[in-house]
């Protein structure tokens, strides 16, 4: 088997740095640069640790413009658009990827999860490399279709394979959209079925496997014997349409629209390229980072280049 292909959920690590009280970084002009600097540190550490042959980073650029908002107007309605400074940092993070010779993708119609889903399908189709999804988001576990694929919370040092997901949640990765279709997801404003929680959802999916098997057999639900099973049947009958919509919102899609840049012919499009040291220095200068932060990032870059050359 060939080297893993790494698919990085970039936005999670950017916002982790942006909101962290432990990573506050200010520019020479007293502007917040925590998101950019934290992401740069993460990415340089990651590259030095993995020395990837193939890697892609996915960015969320579809807030309030994605296809899910057309399906359900309240989807992620609890989010706000980035202010001018954060938008500048997000743009700089995407440019940093290019400077480091890495493929980076965003879309106004598809979310980062869909970009990762599309690329993972492409890699799996070639059947010769594990897919490593670098994220802290459990929802991406639904993409773990093969035993060799895994989620990697790089900063937390945690790897989770299909069996780990089952042991933790009591359902298989591919059942996650149905699970969220039942329980909903307050983080993304997915409604689910009011009154059905994780325990009931797990019982239902362990017995019926998915919503397509569940709804034609609602009369069998009370006999399952878990607490609240009879009431659960009534809730499902009342909210069937909402459950199916919630499943659709929670399902990561594999896109085949050739007009989207992330729809690539094969994984060679994700091959890591040459690092542009001069462009790296210019980007740090453009972000007006303080001398100490510039020195730390340059030291990390030099260590990466030295390891690559070894």
């Amino acid at each position: 088997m060939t080297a893993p292909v790494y698919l990085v959920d970039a936005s999670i690590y950017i916002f982790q740095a942006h909101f962290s009280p432990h990573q506050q970084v200010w520019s020479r002009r007293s502007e917040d640069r925590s998101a950019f600097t934290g992401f740069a540190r993460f990415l340089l550490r990651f590259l030095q640790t993995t020395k990837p042959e193939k890697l892609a980073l996915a960015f969320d650029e579809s807030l309030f413009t994605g296809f899910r908002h057309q399906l359900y107007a309240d989807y992620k309605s609890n989010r706000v658009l980035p202010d001018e400074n954060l938008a500048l940092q997000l743009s700089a993070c995407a440019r940093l990827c290019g400077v480091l010779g890495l493929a980076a993708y965003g879309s106004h119609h598809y979310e980062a999860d869909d970009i990762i889903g599309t690329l993972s399908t492409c890699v799996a189709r070639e059947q010769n490399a594990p897919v490593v999804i670098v994220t802290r988001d459990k929802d991406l576990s639904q993409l773990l279709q093969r035993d060799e694929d895994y989620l990697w919370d790089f900063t937390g040092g945690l790897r989770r394979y299909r069996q780990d997901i089952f042991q933790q949640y009591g359902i298989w990765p591919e059942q996650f959209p149905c699970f969220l279709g039942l329980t909903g997801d307050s983080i993304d404003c997915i409604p689910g079925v009011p009154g059905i929680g994780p325990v009931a959802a797990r019982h239902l999916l362990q017995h019926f496997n998915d919503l397509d098997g569940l709804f034609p057999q609602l009369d069998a639900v009370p006999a399952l014997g878990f607490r609240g099973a009879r009431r659960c049947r009534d809730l499902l009958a009342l909210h069937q349409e909402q459950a199916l919509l919630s499943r659709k919102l929670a399902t990561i899609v594999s896109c085949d629209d050739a007009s989207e840049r992330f729809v690539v012919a094969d994984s060679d499009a994700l091959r890591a390229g040459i690092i542009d040291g001069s462009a790296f220095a210019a980007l740090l200068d453009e972000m007006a980072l303080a001398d100490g932060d510039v020195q730390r990032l340059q030291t990390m870059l030099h260590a990466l280049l030295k390891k690559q050359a070894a």
Side-chain angles (χ1 to χ4, degrees):
M1 185 171 291
T2 57
V5 177
Y6 297 95
L7 304 177
V8 182
D9 185 4
S11 296
I12 274 209
Y13 294 98
I14 293 171
F15 284 102
Q16 177 183 327
H18 178 65
F19 289 110
S20 172
H22 309 295
Q23 295 192 61
Q24 293 184 322
V25 178
W26 303 94
S27 75
R28 298 191 301 271
R29 299 189 292 261
S30 297
E31 299 161 316
D32 185 11
R33 293 291 184 261
S34 303
F36 172 77
T37 306
F39 178 69
R41 290 173 183 167
F42 153 75
L43 190 51
L44 290 169
R45 281 198 306 270
F46 182 82
L47 295 174
Q48 187 172 0
T49 300
T50 59
K51 295 181 64 175
E53 293 181 12
K54 296 178 181 179
L55 178 147
L57 296 103
F59 287 79
D60 268 323
E61 298 177 355
S62 63
L63 190 59
F64 305 130
T65 64
F67 75 90
R68 291 179 179 84
H69 292 90
Q70 299 169 20
L71 296 172
Y72 183 60
D74 286 337
Y75 178 70
K76 291 191 175 181
S77 58
N78 54 350
R79 311 293 174 87
V80 296
L81 288 169
D83 61 23
E84 184 178 349
N85 176 55
L86 180 55
L88 182 147
Q89 292 186 80
L90 290 167
S91 175
C93 289
R95 290 167 57 198
L96 174 66
C97 298
V99 165
L100 296 177
L102 307 173
Y105 303 105
S107 169
H108 292 298
H109 193 62
Y110 295 93
E111 297 182 37
D113 290 4
D114 302 314
I115 295 171
I116 291 173
T118 302
L119 294 174
S120 68
T121 298
C122 173
V123 175
R125 190 167 56 237
E126 297 175 3
Q127 298 182 340
N128 63 348
V131 173
V132 180
I133 299 173
V134 184
T135 186
R136 305 185 70 182
D137 187 352
K138 71 180 187 309
D139 296 351
L140 282 159
S141 64
Q142 66 186 267
L143 300 177
L144 301 180
Q145 300 299 314
R146 304 178 300 170
D147 290 340
E148 63 266 29
D149 301 336
Y150 61 92
L151 301 185
W152 187 13
D153 175 4
F154 179 74
T155 56
L158 179 65
R159 290 178 170 87
R160 289 183 290 179
Y161 294 81
R162 284 179 54 82
Q163 190 64 43
D164 299 316
I165 298 298
F166 181 78
Q167 290 179 353
Q168 182 174 0
Y169 296 103
I171 57 171
W172 290 105
E174 57 270 21
Q175 293 177 296
F176 253 91
C178 290
F179 183 80
L180 295 177
L182 294 169
T183 65
D185 186 351
S186 60
I187 294 175
D188 291 340
C189 300
I190 296 175
V193 177
I196 292 187
V199 174
R202 187 163 55 246
H203 278 289
L204 292 168
L205 293 176
Q206 286 175 350
H207 186 83
F208 296 104
N209 190 54
D210 57 28
L211 299 191
D212 296 329
L214 166 63
F215 281 112
Q217 303 182 69
L218 287 184
D219 287 341
V221 170
L224 296 183
F226 63 86
R227 185 175 181 179
R230 184 173 297 279
R231 178 172 176 267
C232 187
R233 177 195 59 186
D234 298 337
L235 291 171
L236 289 166
L238 183 62
H239 297 286
Q240 178 175 348
E241 184 175 342
Q242 186 165 289
L244 295 175
L245 171 62
S246 296
R247 178 179 66 175
K248 194 167 188 177
L249 294 172
T251 299
I252 296 173
V253 305
S254 180
C255 176
D256 59 3
D257 182 353
S259 68
E260 295 282 357
R261 286 196 316 114
F262 62 88
V263 179
V264 298
D266 56 60
S267 65
D268 280 342
L270 313 184
R271 196 171 295 279
I274 298 172
I275 294 173
D276 188 337
S278 298
F280 182 80
L283 182 56
L284 300 189
D285 184 63
E286 182 181 328
M287 296 299 287
L289 296 185
D291 291 344
D293 293 309
V294 170
Q295 184 175 358
R296 279 187 286 272
L297 290 174
Q298 286 284 16
T299 298
M300 294 181 75
L301 180 69
H302 293 153
L304 172 61
L305 292 170
K306 184 176 180 181
K307 186 164 186 178
Q308 287 183 343

